[in-house]
Each structure stands twice: as C-alpha cells, then as structure tokens.
Amino acid sequence: MAVSYRSRLLWGVVLILFYKIYLLNCIITFHGNDTGKLSRSAESANIKGDIILGGLFPVHQKGDDGAECGAINLQRGVQRLEAMLFTVDRINSDEEVLPGIILGAEVFDTCSRGTYALERSLEFIRASFANLDSADFKCDDGSIAKANATPRAIAGVIGGSYSSVSIQVANLLRLFKLPQISYASTSADLSDKKRYDYFVRTVPPDGFQAKAMADIVQLFNWTYVSTVASEGDYGQSGIESFQNEARSRNICISISIKIISNSNQDTFDTAIEDLDSKKNAMIVVLFLRVEDARNLLIAAKRKQLYNRFTWIASDGWGMQDKPVLGNEDMAEGAMTIELDSTLMPEFDTYFLKLKPGTNKRNPWFKEYWETVHECKFHGKSDLPITDQVVKNCTGQEKKLEAYQQETKVQFIYNAVYAMARSLDRMQRDVCPSTTKLCENMEKIDGERLLKDYILNTSFSDGYGATVQFDSKGDALGRYRIMNYQKNSKTKKYEYVVVGNWSMSRSLQLDVDRLVWSSGATGVFPESRCSQPCNFDQYKYIGKSGDSCCWVCITCQDFEYLKDEFTCEDCGRGRWPNKNKRDCHVLPKQYMQWDTVYALVPMVLACVGLIATLAVILTFMKFHDTPVVMASGRELSYFLLSGCLMCYFITFILIAKPSTIMCAIQRFGVGFGFSVIYSSLLTKTNRISRIFDSARRSARRPPFISPKSQIVITCILILIQILFTIVWLVIEPPGTRIYLPNGKRNEVILKCKTDDISFLVSLMYNMLLIIVCTLYAIKTRKIPENFNESKFIGFAMYTTCIIWLAFIPIYFGTLNSFQVQITTLCISISLSATVALLCLFTPKMYIIVFQPGKNVRRLTMNSASYNKKPQTTTSSILTSNNHDAFSERIKLSVNYDQRFGVTTTAEKDDKEKDTPASSL
C-alpha cells in the first residue's frame, strides 16, 4: 500500500536519527571507549517490568535564552510523573489486573517543548528497529555496527501534557502504531482521527469547556466580550471553539488578542491597552497558559485597571495559585474552569513519604527537593557551602504546608489504568492458557490494542469517575466552575466552587455565591456595546464597521427580520408573523353574505325582483287589455327582462370572485343596462320620429312596427354584447389581489379587471342613457295622450343623477371594497327601480286599482283632433267630450297649433295592437 508523502518524510527523519546513533556508536568503539557503550543523553524514570509503558511529563519548564529546559516544574512536572509511578505500583499490587505480569515504565522529561519531547519519543520506538539487518549499518573502519542490547518494546505511551507536545508526539507514534493516552492535552485538533488515529485522552477536549464558558456568558446575558488566547494549539483551538459557540448565541466578540510564544512585557501592556479601548466590554474570556495569564494580570495591575475587567478563564488558569500570586486584587471576581477531579488521599500519603535518598527511580526528585526546600545537595567532592543564604539539604526536611495535590493526578491514574486494563483483556484473549507473558504478547499489536480494547474500555476508577472514550477517543466532559474571591473571615483570597458543568446536565451555577470585582455581590456586571434590539428591529452598523455596536432600526410593517442585520419585504399578499421572524399568507378578503354591506343591496334586489316579476305576471295576465297593448308589449317585456338582470347581478357582484363569476359580472352588468336603455331608446326614438315626420308630411315614418322595434332593440343590445366579447378576449377574466391604498396588511380578492376598465365597459350604456335622455327632452311637449314620453324623461333624468353620483362614490371608495361593491349594487338596482317605477307604476295602478279605465276610449284620451284650423291646442288636449270611437277607429287630420303640423292616424289592421297613444 502506498505511503503518504508525510509518512515517508517522517520515516526518513527517524532513519536518519538512528543512523546517526549507530555512527556515534561506531566512533566511540573505534576510539577505544572504555565502556564500549552508547551512554544515554536523556535521563528517565524507570520501573522494570514485563510490559513497559512510556511516559512524557513536563518535569522542567521551558528554558530561557536558548536553553532547552528551565526550572523544575513543581506541580505539573514531578507530581504528575510520580502519579504515573504510583499508579504502576498499584497495578502491580492489584491481583485483578495483569496477574502474573509486572508492568514497567520508562518516563522522560519533555521540558514543556514539542521538539524536545519528539527527541525523547524516539526512545520509545527503538525496539521497532531491533529486527533491522545490522549489515545495513557499517562503521568508518568497515566493521559492522552492533546494538549493545535489544530494547524492550513499548506497549503504549502516557502523555504528553501540553497539546503542542502531544500533537508532535502523536504524529510520530502513529507511524509505529503505538497507542497514546494523554492526561491533560485538551486541544480540539486532537479529536481528528484522520490525523491522530492512535491518540486518546482521559480529559475532554477544549470544545467542551468552550461550551461551558459560552453557557456562563449567556447566563448573564453578556453580549459583548473580549478574548485573549495563547499562541499554540491549546489557546487558539480553544478560543476558536468559544468564538463558534458565541456566534451561535449572538454573543459578539469586541476584540480577539493572541499572545505569541516569545512575548515580553510590552506584548502584555499592548494587550491590556487594546482590551481597555473597548470600554463597553467588561468581560474578558481567557484561553491562556498559566504563565501568560499571570503576565496579563501583572500588566493590568501596572495600568491600575482595578475593577475594570471580569475574567472568565479556562483550565489553563484553573485554580492554580501561580497566576494570582501578587495579583489577588486584580483577579478578584474571576470565574475559572477546572476539570472536575477528585483528590486521591492515597497519592498524598505516597508522595509525602518520598525521600530523595530512597527515591532512586526518579532522577529529578532531588532537584525538586532542592527547589521546594530552598537548599542544595552536595556530593563528596563538592566544597562546603559558604553562602549562608543557601543551606545544605539533609533529605529529611519536612514538606511545606503549601503542598497541594495537582488536579490532573486522577486523570493520570485513569490513563495508566485504562492502558493496563486493556492490556489485561488482551492478555486474557491472546494467552488464554496462562497468566504469564506468552509469545503472542512479546510483540504487542498496537492497532488491535487500541481499537479492540482501549476504545472499548469502561470502568469506575473508585473516585467517582467513569472512565470511557467516545468514538473520537475523547473522555466525557465535566468541569467545576470556580470563583476567585476574598474570604470574609480569614481575609484571604481563595477559589470557591460555585457550580459545575457536564454534557448531560449542562450548566449549574449558584449565582448567590458569586463575588465580583471589588467584592461586589448581587448585581452582576454588564458587558454589551448596544442594547438588544426589539423583535421588530434590525441592527444597523455604521461606518465604524464594529459589528458589536449597532443602532436599532424598526422594520416596516410589511417586512420581516431576515437576520439580525436585514429586514426583507414579505411580498404581496403576505404579512409578518407576530415575532417578525417569518411571513404568513394573508387571508383574502371578499364580500361576505352575512354583512350589512351585502344584506342591504340584496334586500333591495330581492324587492326589485319581486316587483318586476309581479309586473311581468300582471302584464301576462292582462296581455290583451288596452293598457298593456298601449304600452308596447314587446318592448315592455324587454325592459322588464333588463330590470330582472340588473337585480340579479347584485348576487353575482356579492359572490366570491372567481373566473366564472368575474366573467358573468363583466357580461351581466353591461348586458342588463343595454337591454333597459336600448328598449327605452327605441321607444323614445319612435315617438320622436313620428312627430318629426308629422311636421313634414302626412306620411307614416318607417320602422315603427313592433317587429321593427324588436329588431332595432336587438341590434342595440348586440353592440353591447360584441363589445363585451372583445373585452373578454383582450382581457381574459380572472381574479387578482388588490392592496387598498398601500395597506399591505389587507388583501382583497377582486376580479382581474381594473376599475377604469370597468367604467370604460359602461361607456356604451352611458351613451344610450345620454341619447335616451336627449330624446326624452326633445319629446317632452308632445300631446298629453303621449304622456309616456314624460315618464321616460323623468326616468332618464333620475338615472343621470344616480350615475353622476355613483361615479365619484365608486372611485372614491377604492380602499373600501365593501362600500364600493355595495354602491355599485345599489346604483344598478336603483337604475332598474327608476325605470320600473316611472314606466310601469301608472299602468299597474290602472290595471290593479282602476280596471274601469282599462278601456280603449280612455286609453286614447282624446287622441284625435278636429279638422278645424280655428281649434286651439288647449281645446284639442282638453276635449274630453269628443265623439266616441269604435274599436276600429279612423283618426282625422287636425291642425295642432303647438307643432304646426297636421296629424293623421288611421286604423291599421296590421297595427291594431298599437293604439295612437303608444306612438
């Protein structure tokens, strides 16, 4: 299988290093070295055993001024190393874990540096080269290089401490399939199993404590915070995790500062100045190494920024004394995260009994003893100490009262036990017939050990914790929340547990126990640049570009909050929900049958329909009576049919708009009017033509017969029908959404036709009304026996008034569709009612209430005129004692002084249904 470029490169580096070791061995041999052995340059703590575990611990701090190693690391170094040795001792005395097998250890110092730890890790993989052909390595003198001893293979490695160390070591160990269990490396990068597939840890990744810190910030509604992180995997990955959590909770980062590795006093002074420049950011979230946290507090103290910041710190600060030493007042009120661990009394007993004279397996214990007790060990060849400040170490000094168990001891204990229990289960599987180390366990398969045993490990450590790993090799997250405060009784500063956080229970915090900077309680500090916007407002960031500071601007009524910085139009027919986070479709409004706007026109239409039907039935019953015959029966039925259509169209206008209803509306309104006014126009035109012709000659005008009148009326109606058909083709019927006067929260369902188009469609009917009115005016002075023209005139005058009032009302109520439809319905019904009342009330009165007058003689009402030129108009019109006419009457020609014409009316058998009074 092909090996990646990175893997080949690392293999090359390893081979080159070992080639140098063998060359060095050859040089020593050639020069006659007394020992003939390669002396180890690296010290290690050792426990001999059948199975060896490797260990990496920061026994020393980083060196200054180019030195690899610095001062002894009292707690994180020696205590942690001894915790591993202590656990190995307990396992060897435990009859249930690896019985019959002695577990050994080889532990190296990393000096808190990744490169230094990588060099020490090469010792763990020396056994992987034990099977190399020695003929491949030759010394300068031509001799074959031989190994002094065959090293025992390492089963797995416990460590490292810092994430930067573990990352470099993990890259090397994965090439040799050596499992690695860390007790303190929390970088989120190490959860990437594609890159660190042989790495697991008994501590949770920083993403968990970043979540815990974000929960704390969110609990107090701090929306504007600053962050400071140490350069490296721990600080940068941790702060990135926090920032991701903050963004998801709308927590704004005012400024993010990175502390570089080789920082000095100026670096921290600049960082503090930058933090102080953000006046509204009172909360500072820290993902710092302990040294960086201390220097940051010192810089804040130099600037005299007391009570300026509230620190929220990761476990890099935790509950250690080093960052706050001498900076107690500056650190007061700080909330820190610490891995939830339990103190192990057995380890305290073990550690406090250690003596430099008897602890031979730890080569750094003497140095630790000297540092703790401020003394110095001297060998036999050393000169006596003359400096009175430095005293001799006796090895019997008592431990200082300041001793405190390091918080990672339990995690080291769990890491070693997880490795041992996995080896125990593997031993039982591959060596089922013996408790001793069999041949199959001589060379341990690291891949199988990791995937089949370590990742499936689950046990209770006896100190309240369950040890198990998830699919990424991470332990379950659980933390304690500490508050640094001054004890009111002892007047000393101390860390107080105020809450805890875990994946299962999330954040649990006792707010009442919190003490803030300057010792304030109860009222917690605020940290926000701008007040939160209301639910209907968006954040406007000005030219400053600071996304944490904004001005709240209210969205328009018809807009919803797309995101915190944008309002967006919901669109036509949609309206924002109450929370302004989304839009809903507005219900379409249309005329409802049970409203007063519908009931009034419907009642009027129903009355009109009943009245019209009553007239029609009456006319049909008295079809052959003189009054009906004198009315022009055919045109009367046309006119009554038009009235029925006008009344019926009210129900169509009130109905819910649809394509069919809208088509009927557009056709019905114009058609109903055209039937009425075409009939009236035909009737008034006939009267006018008769009298105009009479003035010129005695000849009877053409097209005055009933059939002619029907044809003329149908032609006039057909014109309206053609116009309507063309209109429907050009503008197909349908529905539309109408927003009245920009009121976006109202959606009215209307027919697709515009109001102007509707008015244009009535222009033909208006023309009929105007012409009909002109004829009515023209024929207003005809003889009284032709008084139906006066009723037509009165009807047309009233109709004009109705329509003149309707037009401004209709277009003035566009924003109230109910009023508009009601006005239209009433106007149509009134137009029909006027025609019905003015033209048919006199006839119905005679037919119903005065049937005695429904005779030929009275219907003629002095229709003939004496052929005496001397006769005055008044005598002609008032002559009620004229000779009676028979049913077949012959009118003589008389001179009418008012018109100056001679009128002749002859009895016509073909027109016997049309008496002279109906002309």
Side-chain angles (χ1 to χ4, degrees), residues 9 125 151 319 327 409 478 486 521 554 636 755 764 850:
L9 181 62
I125 59 175
M319 56 183 300
N327 304 307
V409 168
R478 64 185 197 279
K486 192 174 185 178
T521 58
T554 303
S636 294
D755 296 304
Y764 176 70
Q850 294 186 353

Side-chain angles (χ1 to χ4, degrees), residues 27-38:
I27 293 170
I28 294 172
T29 304
F30 179 75
H31 287 285
N33 187 289
D34 293 337
T35 62
K37 297 180 182 180
L38 175 64

Side-chain angles (χ1 to χ4, degrees), residues 312-339:
I312 308 295
S314 64
D315 61 350
W317 176 339
M319 56 183 300
Q320 298 184 70
D321 293 329
K322 184 176 181 179
V324 299
L325 190 62
N327 304 307
E328 291 83 358
D329 49 355
M330 188 58 62
E332 184 178 17
M335 297 178 67
T336 63
I337 308 294
E338 181 67 35
L339 283 168

Side-chain angles (χ1 to χ4, degrees), residues 12 86 292 302 320 360 502 508 549 586 665 717 741 845:
F86 162 77
D292 293 337
R302 278 197 300 268
Q320 298 184 70
K360 303 297 183 182
S502 65
Q508 294 182 328
C549 303
L586 285 169
Q665 283 182 22
I717 294 172
N741 196 27
Y845 179 76

Side-chain angles (χ1 to χ4, degrees), residues 816-829:
S816 177
F817 74 99
Q818 294 172 315
V819 175
Q820 188 183 49
I821 294 175
T822 301
T823 301
L824 178 61
C825 292
I826 292 176
S827 297
I828 294 172
S829 295

